[in-house]
Amino acid sequence: MIFQMHPSEVPADRFEIYRFAGFPPKVLPPQNICNLAEECMNQLRPCLRPNLVYETFQKSDLEPIISCSKNLSANLEGCTRVVMFAATIGAQVDSVIRTTQKIDAAKAGMLQATGAMFIESFVDVFNRMISSQYDGSTKPRFSPGFGDAPLDLQKHFFNLLPCSKIGLSLMDTLIMAPEKSVTAFIGIL
């Protein structure tokens, strides 16, 4: 199934931008940094194309995938079903960042942080939607590359989900394109 949002609906969290940019959590950076973050949010928001594909599987059908990671297995302990999803905020964000890198490294870094905030905000909305559908009986999402979960788990998302429908591809390096994309499991108790 596909889940989409209008760019204006994706929540913006300035403190998350600051955190992704390397500032301590919940600490307001200098005004020039705040102004740059605001500028980057305003520049990227019209570029957002928040799209996500997902499917719900019986956990037992995914055991060969899940069992390759002790951390993932522990996260999904007690679950009967698992949602697998792949999400992106679109290729235009990558393009803006690449163009800016050539002329303003500091702004490009803040655009990276802003893009990271937007993809995380988008998947947080989806995560809350799934949690509410199951009366809060879900586990925190868990992504390939986290803990001992190998990055090559990405291949399973691309084999099981129609990722190309949202313009998402997996490179030989196991990095996704567009870059501001996320894959994850959400366990359902």
Side-chain angles (χ1 to χ4, degrees):
M1 294 195 277
I2 294 182
F3 174 73
Q4 298 174 311
M5 288 179 74
H6 189 275
S8 65
E9 297 173 324
V10 179
D13 184 338
R14 287 153 183 82
F15 282 101
E16 279 297 285
I17 295 173
Y18 307 148
R19 186 177 69 81
F20 282 121
F23 291 91
K26 303 297 178 192
V27 171
L28 194 63
Q31 189 60 48
N32 65 324
I33 299 297
C34 295
N35 293 345
L36 183 58
E38 197 71 30
E39 180 184 330
C40 290
M41 279 192 309
N42 291 335
Q43 184 176 358
L44 284 188
R45 185 173 293 282
C47 302
L48 300 178
R49 299 297 176 266
N51 285 292
L52 182 149
V53 290
Y54 70 102
E55 192 65 51
T56 305
F57 298 92
Q58 292 298 317
K59 182 184 170 196
S60 57
D61 293 338
L62 299 178
E63 282 302 333
I65 297 169
I66 295 166
S67 64
C68 75
S69 163
K70 289 180 182 179
N71 296 141
L72 177 58
S73 295
N75 176 270
L76 299 175
E77 184 70 34
C79 295
T80 57
R81 290 171 288 170
V82 177
V83 173
M84 290 179 68
F85 74 83
T88 186
I89 55 172
Q92 199 171 355
V93 171
D94 288 2
S95 178
V96 168
I97 293 169
R98 274 193 308 274
T99 301
T100 305
Q101 284 172 333
K102 296 173 187 172
I103 54 175
D104 188 340
K107 184 174 181 183
M110 191 61 75
L111 285 167
Q112 284 281 4
T114 304
M117 177 278 297
F118 275 131
I119 185 63
E120 288 298 321
S121 292
F122 175 51
V123 297
D124 284 347
V125 169
F126 175 73
N127 215 141
R128 287 190 297 272
M129 182 191 83
I130 293 297
S131 185
S132 70
Q133 284 179 358
Y134 294 99
D135 297 322
S137 297
T138 58
K139 296 279 190 109
R141 69 178 176 265
F142 196 99
S143 292
F146 184 76
D148 71 342
L151 199 54
D152 70 0
L153 283 177
Q154 301 277 54
K155 294 175 186 175
H156 296 290
F157 288 85
F158 285 81
N159 289 333
L160 296 170
L161 300 174
C163 296
S164 62
K165 285 188 177 183
I166 61 167
L168 193 56
S169 60
L170 185 65
M171 296 183 275
D172 291 339
T173 59
L174 303 175
I175 302 299
M176 292 180 286
E179 184 182 322
K180 297 302 180 208
S181 302
V182 170
T183 57
F185 301 90
I186 302 172
I188 302 166
L189 295 165

